[in-house]
C-alpha cells in the first residue's frame, strides 16, 4: 500500500511538473513575443528618428545657409545705412555749423550795435559836461553876457502865447513872467523884453499896456548863459545848459555805424539846434498803474505825445478843464507827483519805412531785437483817417494763404478784413504765420503785431519766420504780456501805421493783429483807471470804435490814390466757443467775414480746424483764382451737406447707397483739407488735389491713404504738366481741353495707385 502510494505521488508530481512546464513555456513564449515586438517597434522608431534626424540636419544646414545669406544682406544694408547716416550726419553737422556761424555773426552785430549806442551815450555825456565846464570859465564871460542879451532880443521879437495861456492872461488883465538867468540881467534888457511882450500880446488881440507886463527874475548858475522865460505853463528856454542838453540827446541818438565816428560827432554838434526852445510844461499830480494826471497844459490835444523828465513818453487820453489824463508808455516806476511834463506839439507817431523790414520793434517803434539803431525814412501818426470811398476800389485780387481749407472755402482778397476767431490753442496764430510765410516771392510785405503774448512765444514765431526767409519782408511789433496796458493798446495802431506807409506807396501789405481781445482788455483797464463810465462787461461805450477805426484803415486803394492795398487779419479769442459774445460780435460786424476754428475739430485731429458752417468770406469768389473757383465752387456745399449727413450716422441709422457715398466722399474731402503747419501750398496744387477728390477719382482710396495719394498725385501731375502752375497763376479758367487733360492725368495716376 505504501509502494502504490509512493508511485501515485510520483505520477502526480510528474503530471504537475509537465503542467508547470507547459504553462511556463507558454508564458515565456508570450513574453518573448512581446519583447521581440517591442524591440521591433523600437528599431522602427529608431529608424524613423534617424531619418528625422537626417532631415533635421538637412534643414539645419539649409537654415544655416539662409542665415549666413541674411546676415550678409543685413550687414550690407547696415553698412549702406551707416554710410548714408554718416553722410546725413555730416550734412547736419555742416548745416548746424553754418547756423551757428550765422548766429555768431548776428550776436556780433548786436554786440557792436550795443557798443556803438553805449559809446554814443558816454561821448555825449562827456562832451556836454566838458563843454559846460569850459564855457563857465572867466574867458567866456563876455560871450555869456552877449548870449543873454541876444536871447532877450529874440524873445522880445518872437514872443507869442498859445490860445489857452492867452485866455488866462486876458482873464487876469495882466501878464506875469518869470525870467531865469545865470546872472542879473541888465535893466535895458528887461525893459526891451517887457515892451516886446506887450506889443506881441496886443498883436494877438489883448487890450494890455506895457505896465501890465510884470517880470520877476531868478538867478540860477546852472543855466550857464541865456535866459529861460515862463508864462503860466508856457516856457521859452534859450539857456546854454538847455542847448547842451539837446546836443547831448542828438549825439546819443545818432547812428554811429560808420567808421568815421569823429566826423559823425562833429556833424551832429554842428547841426545841433541853438534856437530858443518853446514848449508847455505841466506837473504830475497823481500816478497809479500806468496812468497819471497832469495839471496845466491847457493847449494839449487828444493823442498828443508828452515827455517826462526821465525820458519816458506819455499820450494824452483825457482832457479836463484843469488837468489832462495821460497813459504812460513804458516803465513808470520813476514817475512821481511833482515831476515836470512837457508837450511835444505832435500827436503820437512811430517810425516807418523800409529800414524796419526784418526787425522786431516795440509799440513805439523802438528796436527790441538787439539789432541796433533803425534809420527810419519817416514818421507817421498811429491814428490816421481811413481811406474814403472815392479812394477805394473793389477787392478782386487774391491774397493766397497757402491753406487749402481757407483758399478754397473762405478766400481772402487783397484789401479785405478777414477775422480769425476761436478758442485758445486752436491754431489761430498758426494760420496767420502760414499766411505770412506764403507771401514769399509774391511782392507782398507783412506786419505782425503780437499783443499781450509771452515773449518766448513771440521769439518762437520770429525764429520760424527767420528760418523760412519770411522775416526779410516782415515787421514784427511786439507788445508782450509783461508790458503796461497802454503799450498793448497802441500796438495795433502802430502796426497799421507801418503798413499804411507802404500801402500809400503803392505796395501790397498784410497786417496781422494777434490778438485784439487782449487789446480790448487793455483798453478796458485804461478806461476804468481814467474813471470813464463802464458799460457791458465793464467795457467802455466806445470799445466798438476802438476796433472800427483800426480795421477800417484796411483797403485796396484806387489807381488814382496809388493802387496799394492793406489786408487785415485780426484775431479774436473766444471763451468756450461763444462766438456771440460782446467783443467777437463787435469785430464780426466790422470785418468782411470770419474763419471760425472749432475746438472739437481741433481735438479730433482736423488741422486747421475750420468750421465750414460758421466760416464765411463776404468777398467770396471775387478774390479767388478763376481755376480754383472753377474746381472748388461746389466744395463748400458738399462739405456742408456732409456735416449734416454725418450727424445722422451717430444714431446708427441704415443709409441708402447715395447717402453713404456722400458721406464717404466727405470723409475723404475732410482728410484732404488737413494740412501740416508751415507747409503752405501753391494754388495749382490746391486746385489739382481738390479736383481729384471732388470728382470722385479718390473714392476707392482708403481715407488713411489720402495724404499719400495727394503727394503722389501732385508729383505725377507737376512732372507731366509743369506749365499748369503758370496757367493757374495767370488767373484764367481752364478750358475744356485743359480740363480733359487734367482728368486724364488724374485718372491714370488713380488707376496705378495702390
Amino acid at each position: 500500500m505504501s509502494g502504490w502510494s509512493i508511485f501515485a505521488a510520483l505520477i502526480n508530481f510528474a503530471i504537475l511538473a509537465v503542467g508547470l512546464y507547459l504553462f511556463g513555456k507558454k508564458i515565456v513564449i508570450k513574453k518573448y513575443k512581446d519583447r521581440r515586438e517591442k524591440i521591433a517597434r523600437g528599431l522602427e522608431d529608431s529608424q524613423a528618428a534617424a531619418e528625422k534626424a537626417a532631415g533635421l540636419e538637412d534643414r539645419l544646414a539649409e537654415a544655416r545657409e539662409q542665415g549666413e545669406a541674411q546676415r550678409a544682406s543685413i550687414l550690407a544694408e547696415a553698412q549702406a545705412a551707416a554710410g548714408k547716416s554718416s553722410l546725413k550726419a555730416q550734412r547736419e553737422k555742416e548745416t548746424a555749423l553754418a547756423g551757428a556761424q550765422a548766429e555768431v555773426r548776428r550776436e556780433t552785430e548786436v554786440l557792436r550795435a550795443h557798443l556803438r549806442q553805449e559809446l554814443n551815450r558816454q561821448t555825449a555825456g562827456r562832451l556836454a559836461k566838458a563843454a559846460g565846464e569850459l564855457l563857465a570859465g572867466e574867458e567866456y564871460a563876455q560871450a555869456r553876457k552877449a548870449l543873454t542879451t541876444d536871447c532877450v532880443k529874440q524873445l522880445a521879437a518872437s514872443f507869442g502865447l498859445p490860445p489857452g495861456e492867452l485866455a488866462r492872461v486876458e482873464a487876469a488883465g495882466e501878464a506875469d513872467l518869470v525870467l531865469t538867468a545865470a546872472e542879473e540881467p541888465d535893466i535895458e534888457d528887461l525893459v526891451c523884453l517887457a515892451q516886446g511882450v506887450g506889443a506881441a500880446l496886443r498883436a494877438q488881440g489883448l487890450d494890455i499896456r506895457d505896465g501890465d507886463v510884470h517880470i520877476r527874475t531868478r538867478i540860477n548858475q546852472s543855466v550857464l548863459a541865456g535866459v529861460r522865460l515862463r508864462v503860466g505853463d508856457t516856457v521859452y528856454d534859450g539857456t546854454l545848459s538847455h542847448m547842451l542838453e539837446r546836443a547831448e540827446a542828438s549825439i546819443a541818438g545818432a547812428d554811429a555805424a560808420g567808421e568815421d565816428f569823429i566826423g559823425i560827432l562833429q556833424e551832429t554838434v554842428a547841426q545841433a539846434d541853438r534856437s530858443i526852445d518853446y514848449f508847455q510844461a505841466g506837473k504830475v499830480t497823481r500816478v497809479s498803474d500806468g496812468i497819471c494826471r497832469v495839471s496845466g497844459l491847457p493847449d494839449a490835444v487828444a493823442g498828443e505825445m508828452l515827455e517826462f523828465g526821465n525820458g519816458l513818453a506819455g499820450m494824452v487820453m483825457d482832457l479836463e478843464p484843469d488837468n489832462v489824463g495821460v497813459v504812460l508808455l513804458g516803465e513808470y516806476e520813476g514817475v512821481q507827483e511833482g515831476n515836470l511834463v512837457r508837450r511835444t506839439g505832435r500827436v503820437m507817431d512811430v517810425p516807418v519805412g523800409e529800414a524796419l523790414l526784418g526787425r522786431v520793434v516795440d509799440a513805439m517803434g523802438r528796436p527790441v531785437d538787439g539789432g541796433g539803431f533803425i534809420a527810419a525814412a519817416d514818421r507817421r501818426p498811429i491814428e490816421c483817417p481811413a481811406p474814403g470811398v472815392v479812394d477805394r476800389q473793389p477787392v478782386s485780387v487774391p491774397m493766397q494763404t497757402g491753406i487749402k481749407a481757407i483758399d478754397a472755402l473762405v478766400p481772402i482778397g487783397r484789401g479785405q478784413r478777414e477775422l480769425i476767431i476761436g478758442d485758445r490753442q486752436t491754431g489761430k496764430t498758426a494760420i496767420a504765420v502760414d499766411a505770412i510765410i506764403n507771401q514769399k516771392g509774391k511782392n507782398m510785405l507783412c506786419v505782425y503785431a503780437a499783443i499781450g503774448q509771452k515773449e518766448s512765444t513771440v521769439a518762437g514765431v520770429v525764429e520760424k519766420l527767420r528760418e523760412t526767409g519770411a522775416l526779410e519782408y516782415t515787421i514784427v511789433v511786439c507788445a508782450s504780456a509783461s508790458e503796461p496796458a497802454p503799450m498793448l493798446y497802441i500796438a495795433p495802431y502802430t502796426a497799421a501805421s507801418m503798413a499804411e506807409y507802404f500801402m500809400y506807396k503803392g505796395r501790397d501789405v498784410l497786417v496781422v493783429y494777434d490778438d485784439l481781445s487782449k487789446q480790448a482788455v487793455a483798453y478796458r483797464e485804461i478806461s476804468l483807471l481814467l474813471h470813464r463810465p463802464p458799460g457791458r462787461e465793464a467795457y467802455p461805450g466806445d470799445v466798438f470804435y476802438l476796433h472800427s477805426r483800426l480795421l477800417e484803415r484796411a483797403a485796396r486803394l484806387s489807381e488814382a490814390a496809388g493802387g496799394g492795398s492793406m489786408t487785415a487779419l485780426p484775431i479774436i479769442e473766444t471763451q468756450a466757443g461763444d462766438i456771440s459774445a460782446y467783443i467777437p460780435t463787435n469785430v464780426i460786424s466790422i470785418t468782411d467775414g470770419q474763419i471760425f476754428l472749432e475746438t472739437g475739430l481741433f481735438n479730433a485731429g482736423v488741422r486747421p480746424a475750420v468750421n465750414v458752417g460758421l466760416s464765411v468770406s463776404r468777398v467770396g469768389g471775387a478774390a479767388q483764382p478763376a481755376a480754383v473757383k472753377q474746381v472748388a465752387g461746389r466744395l463748400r456745399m458738399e462739405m456742408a451737406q456732409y456735416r449734416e449727413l454725418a450727424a445722422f450716422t451717430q444714431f446708427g441709422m441704415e443709409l441708402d447707397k447715395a447717402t453713404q457715398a456722400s458721406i464717404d466722399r466727405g470723409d475723404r474731402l475732410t482728410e484732404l483739407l488737413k494740412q501740416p503747419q508751415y507747409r503752405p501750398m501753391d494754388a495749382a496744387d490746391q486746385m489739382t488735389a481738390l479736383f481729384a477728390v471732388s470728382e470722385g477719382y479718390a473714392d476707392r482710396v482708403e481715407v488713411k491713404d489720402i495724404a499719400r495719394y495727394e503727394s503722389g498725385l501732385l508729383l505725377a501731375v507737376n512732372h507731366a504738366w509743369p506749365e499748369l502752375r503758370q496757367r493757374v497763376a495767370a488767373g484764367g479758367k481752364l478750358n475744356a481741353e485743359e480740363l480733359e487733360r487734367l482728368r486724364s492725368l488724374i485718372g491714370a495716376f488713380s488707376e496705378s495707385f495702390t
Side-chain angles (χ1 to χ4, degrees), residues 540-549 582-583 585-587 589-590:
D542 62 342
V543 70
F544 180 88
Y545 184 55
L546 171 76
H547 291 147
S548 65
R549 72 178 188 265
Y582 185 36
I583 298 300
T585 52
N586 276 353
V587 182
S589 64
I590 298 168

Side-chain angles (χ1 to χ4, degrees), residues 439-455:
Q439 305 315 310
K440 187 173 184 179
K442 293 180 172 60
N443 194 29
M444 193 168 192
L445 305 177
C446 301
V447 181
Y448 176 74
I451 309 162
Q453 299 185 34
K454 294 186 295 184
E455 292 183 354

